[in-house]
Short mmCIF file of all heavy atoms in Angstrom, two decimals:
data_model
loop_
_atom_site.label_atom_id
_atom_site.label_comp_id
_atom_site.label_asym_id
_atom_site.label_seq_id
_atom_site.Cartn_x
_atom_site.Cartn_y
_atom_site.Cartn_z
N MET A 16 -0.68 20.80 3.13
CA MET A 16 -0.33 19.45 2.41
C MET A 16 -0.72 18.32 3.24
O MET A 16 -0.70 18.29 4.44
CB MET A 16 1.16 19.49 2.17
CG MET A 16 1.67 18.23 1.51
SD MET A 16 3.44 18.08 1.52
CE MET A 16 3.88 19.18 0.21
N LYS A 17 -1.28 17.31 2.44
CA LYS A 17 -1.59 16.04 3.13
C LYS A 17 -0.88 14.93 2.38
O LYS A 17 -0.54 15.10 1.13
CB LYS A 17 -3.12 15.77 3.14
CG LYS A 17 -3.84 16.76 4.04
CD LYS A 17 -5.27 16.30 4.22
CE LYS A 17 -5.88 17.18 5.29
NZ LYS A 17 -7.22 16.80 5.65
N ILE A 18 -0.73 13.81 3.04
CA ILE A 18 -0.06 12.62 2.34
C ILE A 18 -0.98 11.52 2.33
O ILE A 18 -1.62 11.15 3.32
CB ILE A 18 1.19 12.24 3.27
CG1 ILE A 18 2.19 13.35 3.27
CG2 ILE A 18 1.89 10.99 2.67
CD1 ILE A 18 3.43 13.13 4.23
N SER A 19 -1.15 10.96 1.06
CA SER A 19 -1.82 9.69 0.99
C SER A 19 -0.93 8.59 0.57
O SER A 19 0.00 8.73 -0.17
CB SER A 19 -2.85 9.84 -0.24
OG SER A 19 -3.87 10.83 0.02
N ILE A 20 -1.17 7.49 1.25
CA ILE A 20 -0.30 6.31 1.04
C ILE A 20 -1.18 5.20 0.50
O ILE A 20 -2.21 4.84 1.12
CB ILE A 20 0.40 5.94 2.33
CG1 ILE A 20 1.40 7.03 2.69
CG2 ILE A 20 1.12 4.55 2.13
CD1 ILE A 20 2.16 6.86 3.93
N ASP A 21 -0.79 4.62 -0.63
CA ASP A 21 -1.46 3.47 -1.22
C ASP A 21 -0.82 2.25 -0.64
O ASP A 21 0.23 1.79 -1.12
CB ASP A 21 -1.30 3.53 -2.68
CG ASP A 21 -1.90 2.28 -3.38
OD1 ASP A 21 -2.53 1.49 -2.67
OD2 ASP A 21 -1.88 2.23 -4.59
N THR A 22 -1.34 1.78 0.50
CA THR A 22 -0.77 0.68 1.18
C THR A 22 -0.71 -0.53 0.31
O THR A 22 0.22 -1.41 0.53
CB THR A 22 -1.52 0.39 2.49
OG1 THR A 22 -2.97 0.24 2.25
CG2 THR A 22 -1.39 1.51 3.50
N GLY A 23 -1.59 -0.74 -0.61
CA GLY A 23 -1.54 -1.83 -1.56
C GLY A 23 -0.33 -1.84 -2.44
O GLY A 23 0.11 -2.89 -2.89
N SER A 24 0.23 -0.60 -2.64
CA SER A 24 1.41 -0.53 -3.51
C SER A 24 2.71 -0.59 -2.70
O SER A 24 3.74 -0.82 -3.40
CB SER A 24 1.34 0.85 -4.36
OG SER A 24 0.27 0.83 -5.11
N CYS A 25 2.64 -0.36 -1.44
CA CYS A 25 3.86 -0.43 -0.64
C CYS A 25 4.43 -1.77 -0.63
O CYS A 25 3.70 -2.76 -0.26
CB CYS A 25 3.59 0.07 0.78
SG CYS A 25 5.03 -0.03 1.83
N SER A 26 5.69 -1.89 -1.00
CA SER A 26 6.36 -3.24 -0.93
C SER A 26 7.51 -3.32 0.14
O SER A 26 8.29 -4.22 0.08
CB SER A 26 7.00 -3.45 -2.32
OG SER A 26 6.02 -3.43 -3.35
N GLY A 27 7.49 -2.27 0.97
CA GLY A 27 8.40 -2.31 2.08
C GLY A 27 9.90 -1.95 1.76
O GLY A 27 10.76 -2.42 2.37
N HIS A 28 10.03 -1.12 0.73
CA HIS A 28 11.37 -0.73 0.37
C HIS A 28 12.02 0.22 1.45
O HIS A 28 13.26 0.26 1.49
CB HIS A 28 11.41 0.08 -0.95
CG HIS A 28 11.02 -0.73 -2.18
ND1 HIS A 28 11.83 -1.77 -2.61
CD2 HIS A 28 9.89 -0.72 -2.91
CE1 HIS A 28 11.28 -2.30 -3.70
NE2 HIS A 28 10.15 -1.73 -3.91
N ALA A 29 11.24 0.87 2.29
CA ALA A 29 11.74 1.63 3.37
C ALA A 29 12.53 2.92 2.95
O ALA A 29 13.14 3.52 3.82
CB ALA A 29 12.53 0.79 4.39
N ARG A 30 12.53 3.20 1.68
CA ARG A 30 13.29 4.37 1.25
C ARG A 30 12.67 5.67 1.74
O ARG A 30 13.34 6.67 1.97
CB ARG A 30 13.41 4.37 -0.23
CG ARG A 30 14.20 3.19 -0.75
CD ARG A 30 14.50 3.34 -2.26
NE ARG A 30 14.98 2.03 -2.71
CZ ARG A 30 15.17 1.77 -4.01
NH1 ARG A 30 14.88 2.68 -4.89
NH2 ARG A 30 15.64 0.57 -4.42
N CYS A 31 11.27 5.65 1.89
CA CYS A 31 10.62 6.82 2.37
C CYS A 31 11.05 7.14 3.82
O CYS A 31 11.36 8.28 4.13
CB CYS A 31 9.09 6.62 2.38
SG CYS A 31 8.55 5.08 3.20
N ALA A 32 11.16 6.07 4.63
CA ALA A 32 11.54 6.24 6.02
C ALA A 32 13.01 6.68 6.14
O ALA A 32 13.39 7.43 7.05
CB ALA A 32 11.34 4.95 6.78
N ALA A 33 13.86 6.26 5.19
CA ALA A 33 15.26 6.66 5.22
C ALA A 33 15.36 8.09 4.74
O ALA A 33 16.22 8.84 5.28
CB ALA A 33 16.07 5.73 4.25
N ALA A 34 14.58 8.52 3.77
CA ALA A 34 14.61 9.89 3.29
C ALA A 34 14.01 10.88 4.27
O ALA A 34 14.55 12.04 4.37
CB ALA A 34 13.89 9.94 1.96
N ALA A 35 12.95 10.49 4.97
CA ALA A 35 12.28 11.45 5.87
C ALA A 35 11.75 10.73 7.06
O ALA A 35 10.56 10.48 7.23
CB ALA A 35 11.18 12.08 5.05
N PRO A 36 12.64 10.26 8.02
CA PRO A 36 12.25 9.46 9.18
C PRO A 36 11.31 10.22 10.08
O PRO A 36 10.61 9.61 10.83
CB PRO A 36 13.61 9.17 9.79
CG PRO A 36 14.56 10.15 9.30
CD PRO A 36 14.09 10.51 7.96
N GLU A 37 11.24 11.59 9.95
CA GLU A 37 10.35 12.30 10.85
C GLU A 37 8.94 12.17 10.45
O GLU A 37 8.02 12.57 11.17
CB GLU A 37 10.80 13.84 10.96
CG GLU A 37 10.75 14.60 9.60
CD GLU A 37 12.01 14.47 8.81
OE1 GLU A 37 12.29 13.38 8.30
OE2 GLU A 37 12.66 15.49 8.57
N LEU A 38 8.69 11.74 9.24
CA LEU A 38 7.28 11.61 8.68
C LEU A 38 6.87 10.16 8.46
O LEU A 38 5.77 9.83 8.69
CB LEU A 38 7.22 12.37 7.33
CG LEU A 38 6.94 13.86 7.38
CD1 LEU A 38 6.95 14.38 5.94
CD2 LEU A 38 5.59 14.12 8.08
N PHE A 39 7.74 9.41 7.88
CA PHE A 39 7.44 8.04 7.44
C PHE A 39 7.92 7.01 8.43
O PHE A 39 9.10 6.81 8.59
CB PHE A 39 7.90 7.75 6.05
CG PHE A 39 7.33 8.79 5.05
CD1 PHE A 39 8.10 9.83 4.66
CD2 PHE A 39 6.02 8.63 4.65
CE1 PHE A 39 7.66 10.76 3.68
CE2 PHE A 39 5.54 9.58 3.72
CZ PHE A 39 6.30 10.62 3.29
N LEU A 40 6.98 6.29 9.09
CA LEU A 40 7.27 5.33 10.06
C LEU A 40 6.90 3.89 9.40
O LEU A 40 5.96 3.86 8.62
CB LEU A 40 6.58 5.49 11.36
CG LEU A 40 6.79 6.88 12.02
CD1 LEU A 40 5.93 6.97 13.27
CD2 LEU A 40 8.27 7.06 12.35
N LEU A 41 7.58 2.89 9.80
CA LEU A 41 7.32 1.58 9.31
C LEU A 41 6.65 0.71 10.35
O LEU A 41 6.94 0.78 11.54
CB LEU A 41 8.59 0.93 8.75
CG LEU A 41 9.36 1.70 7.81
CD1 LEU A 41 10.62 0.97 7.41
CD2 LEU A 41 8.59 2.03 6.53
N ASP A 42 5.73 -0.21 9.97
CA ASP A 42 5.18 -1.15 10.89
C ASP A 42 6.12 -2.30 11.07
O ASP A 42 7.23 -2.30 10.55
CB ASP A 42 3.75 -1.66 10.38
CG ASP A 42 3.85 -2.51 9.14
OD1 ASP A 42 4.95 -2.97 8.72
OD2 ASP A 42 2.81 -2.74 8.50
N ASP A 43 5.78 -3.27 11.88
CA ASP A 43 6.65 -4.37 12.25
C ASP A 43 7.11 -5.22 11.12
O ASP A 43 8.13 -5.89 11.20
CB ASP A 43 5.98 -5.25 13.35
CG ASP A 43 5.86 -4.58 14.68
OD1 ASP A 43 6.54 -3.51 14.93
OD2 ASP A 43 5.07 -5.01 15.53
N ASP A 44 6.33 -5.18 10.02
CA ASP A 44 6.68 -5.93 8.87
C ASP A 44 7.45 -5.07 7.79
O ASP A 44 7.80 -5.55 6.77
CB ASP A 44 5.42 -6.47 8.17
CG ASP A 44 4.73 -7.47 9.11
OD1 ASP A 44 5.42 -8.29 9.70
OD2 ASP A 44 3.46 -7.42 9.22
N GLY A 45 7.74 -3.86 8.20
CA GLY A 45 8.53 -2.93 7.26
C GLY A 45 7.72 -2.17 6.25
O GLY A 45 8.27 -1.60 5.34
N TYR A 46 6.34 -2.21 6.38
CA TYR A 46 5.52 -1.42 5.50
C TYR A 46 5.24 -0.04 6.08
O TYR A 46 5.10 0.09 7.29
CB TYR A 46 4.27 -2.16 5.18
CG TYR A 46 4.44 -3.39 4.37
CD1 TYR A 46 4.56 -4.58 5.11
CD2 TYR A 46 4.68 -3.38 3.04
CE1 TYR A 46 4.82 -5.84 4.37
CE2 TYR A 46 4.89 -4.62 2.40
CZ TYR A 46 4.93 -5.80 3.00
OH TYR A 46 5.22 -6.94 2.41
N VAL A 47 5.14 0.93 5.26
CA VAL A 47 4.86 2.30 5.74
C VAL A 47 3.49 2.48 6.36
O VAL A 47 2.55 1.85 5.90
CB VAL A 47 5.13 3.31 4.64
CG1 VAL A 47 3.97 3.26 3.58
CG2 VAL A 47 5.30 4.73 5.14
N LEU A 48 3.45 3.25 7.46
CA LEU A 48 2.21 3.43 8.13
C LEU A 48 1.55 4.71 7.50
O LEU A 48 2.22 5.60 7.02
CB LEU A 48 2.47 3.71 9.63
CG LEU A 48 2.96 2.52 10.47
CD1 LEU A 48 3.52 2.90 11.78
CD2 LEU A 48 1.85 1.54 10.63
N PRO A 49 0.25 4.77 7.66
CA PRO A 49 -0.46 6.03 7.13
C PRO A 49 0.06 7.25 7.89
O PRO A 49 0.43 7.22 9.03
CB PRO A 49 -1.90 5.77 7.46
CG PRO A 49 -2.02 4.34 7.78
CD PRO A 49 -0.63 3.83 8.16
N VAL A 50 0.07 8.40 7.17
CA VAL A 50 0.48 9.68 7.76
C VAL A 50 -0.85 10.53 7.85
O VAL A 50 -1.41 10.89 6.78
CB VAL A 50 1.50 10.39 6.93
CG1 VAL A 50 1.91 11.74 7.57
CG2 VAL A 50 2.74 9.45 6.74
N GLU A 51 -1.27 10.77 9.09
CA GLU A 51 -2.62 11.45 9.26
C GLU A 51 -2.41 12.93 9.31
O GLU A 51 -1.42 13.47 9.75
CB GLU A 51 -3.25 10.99 10.50
CG GLU A 51 -3.38 9.47 10.66
CD GLU A 51 -4.47 8.87 9.80
OE1 GLU A 51 -5.22 9.66 9.21
OE2 GLU A 51 -4.51 7.69 9.75
N GLY A 52 -3.48 13.62 8.83
CA GLY A 52 -3.56 15.13 9.10
C GLY A 52 -2.70 15.95 8.14
O GLY A 52 -2.08 15.45 7.25
N GLU A 53 -2.82 17.25 8.40
CA GLU A 53 -2.09 18.27 7.68
C GLU A 53 -0.62 18.24 8.01
O GLU A 53 -0.17 18.18 9.25
CB GLU A 53 -2.72 19.61 8.01
CG GLU A 53 -2.28 20.77 7.15
CD GLU A 53 -2.92 20.65 5.76
OE1 GLU A 53 -3.97 20.06 5.63
OE2 GLU A 53 -2.31 21.21 4.77
N ILE A 54 0.22 18.29 6.99
CA ILE A 54 1.66 18.30 7.22
C ILE A 54 2.20 19.80 7.45
O ILE A 54 1.85 20.62 6.64
CB ILE A 54 2.39 17.76 5.95
CG1 ILE A 54 1.88 16.38 5.61
CG2 ILE A 54 3.90 17.75 6.16
CD1 ILE A 54 2.00 15.34 6.82
N PRO A 55 2.86 20.04 8.54
CA PRO A 55 3.31 21.33 8.82
C PRO A 55 4.24 21.79 7.66
O PRO A 55 4.97 20.96 7.09
CB PRO A 55 4.07 21.21 10.13
CG PRO A 55 3.74 19.84 10.70
CD PRO A 55 3.22 19.02 9.60
N GLU A 56 4.28 23.11 7.47
CA GLU A 56 5.04 23.65 6.36
C GLU A 56 6.53 23.30 6.43
O GLU A 56 7.15 22.93 5.35
CB GLU A 56 4.91 25.21 6.36
CG GLU A 56 5.00 25.86 5.05
CD GLU A 56 4.67 27.32 5.11
OE1 GLU A 56 3.57 27.68 5.60
OE2 GLU A 56 5.52 28.12 4.67
N GLU A 57 7.02 23.23 7.63
CA GLU A 57 8.47 22.92 7.77
C GLU A 57 8.79 21.41 7.42
O GLU A 57 9.92 21.11 7.27
CB GLU A 57 8.92 23.22 9.19
CG GLU A 57 8.34 22.45 10.29
CD GLU A 57 7.11 23.15 10.83
OE1 GLU A 57 6.50 23.98 10.19
OE2 GLU A 57 6.74 22.87 12.05
N LEU A 58 7.81 20.61 7.25
CA LEU A 58 8.01 19.22 6.92
C LEU A 58 7.64 18.93 5.44
O LEU A 58 7.73 17.78 5.02
CB LEU A 58 7.28 18.27 7.82
CG LEU A 58 7.73 18.22 9.29
CD1 LEU A 58 6.88 17.19 10.10
CD2 LEU A 58 9.21 17.77 9.34
N GLU A 59 7.22 20.01 4.72
CA GLU A 59 6.78 19.68 3.34
C GLU A 59 7.89 19.20 2.36
O GLU A 59 7.74 18.35 1.60
CB GLU A 59 6.15 20.98 2.73
CG GLU A 59 4.81 21.23 3.41
CD GLU A 59 4.04 22.44 2.74
OE1 GLU A 59 4.54 23.03 1.81
OE2 GLU A 59 2.89 22.62 3.16
N GLU A 60 9.12 19.78 2.68
CA GLU A 60 10.28 19.27 1.83
C GLU A 60 10.55 17.85 2.12
O GLU A 60 10.90 17.05 1.19
CB GLU A 60 11.48 20.19 2.01
CG GLU A 60 12.56 20.07 0.97
CD GLU A 60 12.05 20.17 -0.46
OE1 GLU A 60 11.19 21.06 -0.74
OE2 GLU A 60 12.44 19.32 -1.27
N ALA A 61 10.54 17.44 3.42
CA ALA A 61 10.73 16.04 3.78
C ALA A 61 9.62 15.21 3.18
O ALA A 61 9.98 14.03 2.71
CB ALA A 61 10.65 15.94 5.31
N ALA A 62 8.40 15.61 3.12
CA ALA A 62 7.35 14.84 2.46
C ALA A 62 7.70 14.60 1.00
O ALA A 62 7.44 13.49 0.52
CB ALA A 62 5.98 15.59 2.59
N ARG A 63 8.17 15.69 0.34
CA ARG A 63 8.56 15.53 -1.07
C ARG A 63 9.72 14.59 -1.24
O ARG A 63 9.74 13.79 -2.21
CB ARG A 63 8.93 16.89 -1.74
CG ARG A 63 7.72 17.83 -1.90
CD ARG A 63 8.04 19.06 -2.65
NE ARG A 63 6.96 19.98 -2.47
CZ ARG A 63 7.00 21.01 -1.59
NH1 ARG A 63 8.08 21.19 -0.79
NH2 ARG A 63 5.97 21.79 -1.46
N ASP A 64 10.66 14.65 -0.38
CA ASP A 64 11.76 13.61 -0.37
C ASP A 64 11.30 12.23 -0.25
O ASP A 64 11.69 11.36 -0.99
CB ASP A 64 12.77 13.96 0.72
CG ASP A 64 13.52 15.26 0.53
OD1 ASP A 64 13.52 15.77 -0.58
OD2 ASP A 64 14.14 15.75 1.56
N GLY A 65 10.38 12.02 0.62
CA GLY A 65 9.78 10.68 0.79
C GLY A 65 8.97 10.18 -0.41
O GLY A 65 9.13 9.06 -0.86
N GLU A 66 8.21 11.14 -0.93
CA GLU A 66 7.48 10.78 -2.13
C GLU A 66 8.41 10.33 -3.31
O GLU A 66 8.26 9.38 -3.94
CB GLU A 66 6.61 11.96 -2.58
CG GLU A 66 5.83 11.73 -3.89
CD GLU A 66 5.37 12.99 -4.51
OE1 GLU A 66 6.04 14.05 -4.42
OE2 GLU A 66 4.29 13.02 -5.09
N ARG A 67 9.44 11.17 -3.52
CA ARG A 67 10.41 10.87 -4.54
C ARG A 67 11.19 9.56 -4.37
O ARG A 67 11.56 8.93 -5.25
CB ARG A 67 11.36 12.05 -4.67
CG ARG A 67 10.88 13.23 -5.48
CD ARG A 67 11.94 14.19 -5.89
NE ARG A 67 12.48 14.85 -4.68
CZ ARG A 67 12.13 16.04 -4.28
NH1 ARG A 67 11.21 16.73 -4.95
NH2 ARG A 67 12.62 16.61 -3.21
N ALA A 68 11.34 9.20 -3.10
CA ALA A 68 12.18 8.07 -2.79
C ALA A 68 11.47 6.73 -3.03
O ALA A 68 12.17 5.70 -3.14
CB ALA A 68 12.59 8.11 -1.30
N CYS A 69 10.19 6.76 -3.11
CA CYS A 69 9.44 5.49 -3.21
C CYS A 69 9.40 5.00 -4.61
O CYS A 69 8.74 5.58 -5.50
CB CYS A 69 8.04 5.66 -2.70
SG CYS A 69 7.13 4.12 -2.81
N PRO A 70 10.03 3.83 -5.00
CA PRO A 70 10.09 3.32 -6.30
C PRO A 70 8.67 2.75 -6.76
O PRO A 70 8.52 2.54 -7.93
CB PRO A 70 11.11 2.25 -6.28
CG PRO A 70 11.16 1.76 -4.75
CD PRO A 70 10.77 3.03 -4.01
N GLU A 71 7.78 2.58 -5.77
CA GLU A 71 6.44 1.96 -6.17
C GLU A 71 5.45 3.16 -6.36
O GLU A 71 4.25 2.80 -6.63
CB GLU A 71 5.96 1.05 -5.02
CG GLU A 71 6.93 -0.09 -4.62
CD GLU A 71 7.14 -1.07 -5.79
OE1 GLU A 71 6.28 -1.13 -6.63
OE2 GLU A 71 8.14 -1.77 -5.75
N ARG A 72 5.85 4.38 -6.18
CA ARG A 72 4.92 5.51 -6.25
C ARG A 72 3.72 5.33 -5.35
O ARG A 72 2.66 5.63 -5.67
CB ARG A 72 4.43 5.70 -7.71
CG ARG A 72 5.41 5.48 -8.79
CD ARG A 72 6.52 6.52 -8.75
NE ARG A 72 6.12 7.85 -9.09
CZ ARG A 72 6.88 8.89 -8.78
NH1 ARG A 72 8.02 8.77 -8.15
NH2 ARG A 72 6.57 10.14 -9.03
N ALA A 73 3.98 4.81 -4.18
CA ALA A 73 2.92 4.57 -3.23
C ALA A 73 2.53 5.78 -2.39
O ALA A 73 1.55 5.76 -1.71
CB ALA A 73 3.40 3.45 -2.20
N ILE A 74 3.37 6.87 -2.45
CA ILE A 74 3.10 8.08 -1.70
C ILE A 74 2.68 9.20 -2.63
O ILE A 74 3.34 9.43 -3.60
CB ILE A 74 4.43 8.46 -0.98
CG1 ILE A 74 4.80 7.27 0.02
CG2 ILE A 74 4.18 9.75 -0.24
CD1 ILE A 74 6.14 7.46 0.62
N THR A 75 1.51 9.81 -2.29
CA THR A 75 1.00 10.92 -3.06
C THR A 75 0.86 12.06 -2.12
O THR A 75 0.29 11.92 -1.06
CB THR A 75 -0.26 10.54 -3.70
OG1 THR A 75 -0.13 9.36 -4.43
CG2 THR A 75 -0.79 11.66 -4.67
N LEU A 76 1.17 13.27 -2.66
CA LEU A 76 1.04 14.50 -1.85
C LEU A 76 -0.08 15.31 -2.45
O LEU A 76 -0.33 15.32 -3.60
CB LEU A 76 2.34 15.30 -1.92
CG LEU A 76 3.61 14.59 -1.54
CD1 LEU A 76 4.77 15.60 -1.56
CD2 LEU A 76 3.47 14.01 -0.12
N HIS A 77 -0.89 15.98 -1.62
CA HIS A 77 -2.02 16.73 -2.05
C HIS A 77 -1.90 18.14 -1.48
O HIS A 77 -1.50 18.38 -0.34
CB HIS A 77 -3.34 16.19 -1.46
CG HIS A 77 -3.55 14.77 -1.86
ND1 HIS A 77 -4.10 14.34 -3.09
CD2 HIS A 77 -3.32 13.61 -1.19
CE1 HIS A 77 -4.14 13.05 -3.06
NE2 HIS A 77 -3.67 12.60 -1.99
FE1 F3S B 113 6.69 1.40 1.01
FE2 F3S B 113 7.62 2.96 -0.83
FE3 F3S B 113 8.13 3.48 1.60
S1 F3S B 113 7.41 0.77 -1.05
S2 F3S B 113 8.13 1.49 2.64
S3 F3S B 113 6.20 3.55 0.65
S4 F3S B 113 9.59 3.52 -0.06
#
């Protein structure tokens, strides 16, 4: 699994970081940072939680 983040759609709600802080980090302005590379299997559920938590649909899983 990989995570794509549409940084243009991120409005800084920070719900992704609240739902899955081990995956989603915020920059100094409160916008989510890109998540690079393959997501380990044990973090896939956290990735789904983060995706569902974003009201802007800025997070896409592949
Ligand atoms: Fe941005 Fe959505 Fe997270 S708006 S900070 S990606 S909850």
